[in-house]
Amino acid sequence: EEEEADISDIGDGKGIVRVDTQSDNMNSLNSQDLATNVAELCQQGRGEAALELVRTDLRNVSQPQCTDIMVAFAEAGRSDCAQAALLHMQTLCVETGAELDANTFNALMLAYARDAATATDDGLDQAFGVLELMLRAQIDPDITTYNRLMEACSAAADAVDPFSKGLLVLDAMKEGKRVLADVETFNTMLEACGKRGWSTSTGDGLRVGAQVLETMAKEGVAPTVDTFNILMYGCAWAAGAGDGWLGVEQGLGFLRQMADTEIMPDVISFNNLIAACAQAAGAADGPLARDQAFKLLRIMQEVKLEPDQGTCDTLIATCAKTAAAGDKLGVTYGVKVLDLVHEWNLSPDPSMYNALLARCLHVAQTSGPGYPSGWNGVRWMANLLALMAAFDVDATEAIRTIYDTMSSLCAQRSLELAGAAATAHTSEDLPHLSGHVADSMCFATASAVLDDSGGADDEQEELLGGG
């Protein structure tokens, strides 16, 4: 149904003022009340009612009142109402001799950037038309004007070529009173180019992103860590969209560029690169991606960056995916990651955690007691069980099921090894079994695995010792 623009009663008991449109002596709202009520109506989805309130009650042009009204329409994504409100304000300017400022027009530009209905080629033409409106009103566009116009280009990325439109914005900045682009201008342009996709088969955003970097250099604008973080996010996206290891290599190339320009990467930079490794880990390059992820972790630690939840989740995802693709060391590294996550006092992401645990259980059920090499079978399972207990085995039903199944398997293996050692009658058998007996003893004292790093509590010790 078409919204009825009747504002005879817009009160809801929450501060909205009742307006009697039939009264000849209707009291004007002060500027703060008017802007507040317009914003409230927009939040309620009543843009037409808010516009009618402006037409009825806005008697003079003042700042920041007009800007606040326009921002309210912009945040509601109603560029049509914002355009109509501006027309009313311009009429008042003619009648009263007042003037609007750049902030009001910037808010209109923001409305075009936020309105899904104008995320088209025609809608973007209307956004560029705001520049003409400002020139007619003898108002100079500023950097905010152009950055919001770049946002509008980003919003319309599905309908237009964002790179070519971005170049038009840069050209417009050089006309009339020259405005210098800043890093936000180009970061927005980068994000716009990525909206069509970052991989070679979808959007080719990384190639276009490299062109944006070249344009920045020509314009004398230095990239920041945020610039490269956008590109590294694109590398992870591309790696998961068919580029695989190529996405990781491109990310490492950006990391080298940061080093060359003395831009210090942050945790987000490394998390994005490790995410690229995780995306590439499910293919033939899984072991390569897994090794690279741990190299990146070591670099993080060398430059004194604290791993966070994103680091934790992307490392677990890398190990889970490479293990699922057949990497025999995937589960070994996965348990090492869980050790680190416990040390960092973090909690693993449930989805990737479940995936990793499922692979660990599969390996435990299908491999001999000596696998993985260096973890001595039972001891490896015991360590994982202790970690699972530390992370809460009842977090999900799936985790509890895996925990119970692995506990039974670990106990069974321990008894089998102990029984084999007890029934050995020849000296030739004893050296062969001695390592497995040690495994059985390790299981009985498995809580020591976490005790060494301040881990398992008494309940975990009793649970694992009782196995």
Side-chain angles (χ1 to χ4, degrees), residues 106-389:
N106 290 346
L108 175 59
M109 193 74 83
L110 179 64
Y112 282 112
R114 300 282 178 84
D115 191 349
T118 57
T120 63
D121 199 358
D122 290 340
L124 193 54
D125 286 343
Q126 294 178 49
F128 274 92
V130 176
L131 295 177
E132 183 64 28
L133 291 176
M134 297 181 74
L135 293 176
R136 290 178 184 175
Q138 296 184 332
I139 297 174
D140 292 322
D142 56 20
I143 186 61
T144 301
T145 311
Y146 291 109
N147 284 348
R148 287 182 173 173
L149 181 54
M150 195 70 84
E151 285 184 48
C153 294
S154 178
D158 289 337
V160 302
D161 177 10
F163 182 69
S164 61
K165 292 294 185 182
L167 293 179
L168 290 178
V169 176
L170 295 176
D171 289 341
M173 298 177 77
K174 299 172 184 176
E175 298 175 358
K177 185 178 180 180
R178 182 183 177 90
V179 177
L180 297 178
D182 61 13
V183 70
E184 182 183 343
T185 313
F186 287 100
N187 286 353
T188 305
M189 190 176 181
L190 267 180
E191 291 174 338
C193 294
K195 284 192 173 182
R196 285 194 158 189
W198 293 97
S199 68
T200 52
S201 60
T202 308
D204 209 10
L206 289 177
R207 180 187 62 81
V208 179
Q211 290 180 312
V212 174
L213 283 181
E214 292 175 2
T215 306
M216 291 181 74
K218 292 177 182 178
E219 297 290 330
V221 178
T224 65
V225 64
D226 291 334
T227 309
F228 284 101
N229 284 348
I230 294 169
L231 290 165
M232 289 176 178
Y233 166 82
C235 294
W237 194 101
D243 284 1
W245 180 249
L246 175 62
V248 179
E249 289 183 322
Q250 289 174 302
L252 296 175
F254 289 130
L255 189 63
R256 286 190 289 271
Q257 286 188 47
M258 295 180 75
D260 291 342
T261 53
E262 298 184 348
I263 298 174
M264 178 66 181
D266 59 15
V267 173
I268 296 174
S269 311
F270 285 100
N271 287 354
N272 283 337
L273 286 176
I274 297 174
C277 295
Q279 295 292 356
D285 292 318
L288 190 62
R290 178 247 302 153
D291 285 346
Q292 185 61 60
F294 279 85
K295 287 179 183 177
L296 290 166
L297 175 62
R298 286 195 293 273
I299 294 173
M300 282 184 69
Q301 294 170 328
E302 288 173 3
V303 297
K304 308 301 182 184
L305 288 175
E306 291 286 339
D308 65 4
Q309 190 67 47
T311 317
C312 155
D313 294 341
T314 50
L315 283 171
I316 291 175
T318 302
C319 295
K321 289 185 176 182
T322 189
D327 178 15
K328 291 186 176 181
L329 290 179
V331 293
T332 306
Y333 275 83
V335 176
K336 289 181 179 180
V337 171
L338 294 180
D339 267 321
L340 291 172
V341 172
H342 183 268
E343 179 184 325
W344 299 334
N345 293 317
L346 297 171
S347 298
D349 171 74
S351 176
M352 284 295 102
Y353 182 44
N354 284 352
L356 176 61
L357 292 179
R359 294 308 306 172
C360 289
L361 178 60
H362 174 76
V363 168
Q365 290 173 326
T366 58
S367 302
Y371 182 85
S373 177
W375 288 76
N376 299 324
V378 172
R379 183 180 181 185
W380 172 77
M381 282 191 284
N383 183 48
L384 180 55
L385 288 167
L387 286 166
M388 291 176 68

Side-chain angles (χ1 to χ4, degrees), residues 18-29:
R18 181 181 179 86
V19 181
D20 182 4
T21 58
Q22 304 302 318
S23 172
D24 292 335
N25 298 317
M26 181 173 61
N27 295 323
S28 293
L29 300 171

